């Protein structure tokens, strides 16, 4: 019962669409009409600039950190019992009932969840992987997909109880949310393609 309540709290926290609401209240604009139609911080950035985009990003991050960290520190939930609790904010953001199930892409909240789980370790490793693949891949969806896949491999090797299950769940949700981009296929950054062409022509 306790795990269920923490999971419900996590989902409720994740479902709060701060970036979308800031767009309506402050910018007087539906941020889903810009960029890729996503109600998250990336389109708040496009609509309102770096200041509001940063605020939206931090709020999306915080709603992942807070419920997971509280479940661990107050509820004493660890190991496999943490899996549904940790996935709940990601699912809440991705399929927010406030937007009839059409939530955001859940990248920032995923970073928040892994901060709540592992403090610095998860975000640093995942951030390094995203930076590496972003430098190589021209499509954000594929960057997220491959980075999360590598992160899942890392978690499997790490061997901490419950971490692999959470990682697989995050990977599945992010894959679904980036599916339209994944359908476009992989695309290398121009510098990678140029380097490949030079080596091929030698």
């Amino acid at each position: 019962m306790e795990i269920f309540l923490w999971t419900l709290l996590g989902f409720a926290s994740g479902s709060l669409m701060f970036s979308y609401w800031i767009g309506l209240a402050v910018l007087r604009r539906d941020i889903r009409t810009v960029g890729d139609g996503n109600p998250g911080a990336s389109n708040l950035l496009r609509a309102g600039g770096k200041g509001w985009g940063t605020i939206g990003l931090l709020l999306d991050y915080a709603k992942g950190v807070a419920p997971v960290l509280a479940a661990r520190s107050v509820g004493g939930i660890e190991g496999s019992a943490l899996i549904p609790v940790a996935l709940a904010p990601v699912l809440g953001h991705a399929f927010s009932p406030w937007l009839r199930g059409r939530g955001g892409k859940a990248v920032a909240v995923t970073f928040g969840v892994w901060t709540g789980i592992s403090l610095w370790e998860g975000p640093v490793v995942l951030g390094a992987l995203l930076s590496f693949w972003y430098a190589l891949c021209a499509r954000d969806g594929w960057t997220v997909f491959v980075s999360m896949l590598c992160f899942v491999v890392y978690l499997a090797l790490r061997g901490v109880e419950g971490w692999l299950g959470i990682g697989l769940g995050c990977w599945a949700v992010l894959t679904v949310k980036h599916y339209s981009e994944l359908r476009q296929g992989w695309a290398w950054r121009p510098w990678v393609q140029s380097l490949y062409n030079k080596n091929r022509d030698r």
Side-chain angles (χ1 to χ4, degrees), residues 1 52 81 90 100 102 176 187 196:
M1 186 64 178
W52 287 114
V90 180
R100 299 181 181 179
R102 299 177 181 178
V176 170
Y196 169 76

Side-chain angles (χ1 to χ4, degrees), residues 27-119:
L27 305 178
R28 305 295 183 184
R29 188 174 185 182
D30 186 342
I31 62 172
R32 295 174 298 180
T33 62
V34 301
D36 58 4
N38 175 41
S42 59
N43 279 342
L44 182 60
L45 171 66
R46 293 183 179 100
K50 292 182 180 179
W52 287 114
T54 300
I55 290 173
L57 183 68
L58 291 174
L59 287 170
D60 284 350
Y61 173 80
K63 69 185 185 181
V65 177
V68 176
L69 196 58
R72 294 182 63 221
S73 58
V74 178
I77 298 175
E78 297 286 356
S80 298
L82 192 61
I83 295 175
V85 179
L87 290 178
V90 180
L91 290 166
H93 179 83
F95 307 104
S96 175
W98 297 103
L99 295 179
R100 299 181 181 179
R102 299 177 181 178
K105 292 186 175 179
V107 176
V109 72
T110 296
F111 270 89
V113 163
W114 280 101
T115 301
I117 295 168
S118 64
L119 298 182

Side-chain angles (χ1 to χ4, degrees), residues 153-189:
V153 173
Y154 170 83
L155 296 173
L157 296 173
R158 188 71 170 78
V160 179
E161 183 186 355
W163 283 19
L164 179 58
I166 298 169
L168 286 169
C170 291
W171 180 44
V173 174
L174 291 174
T175 298
V176 170
K177 297 303 295 185
H178 290 85
Y179 180 69
S180 61
E181 297 172 61
L182 294 175
R183 291 182 61 188
Q184 298 173 23
W186 179 276
W188 294 105
R189 291 283 179 189

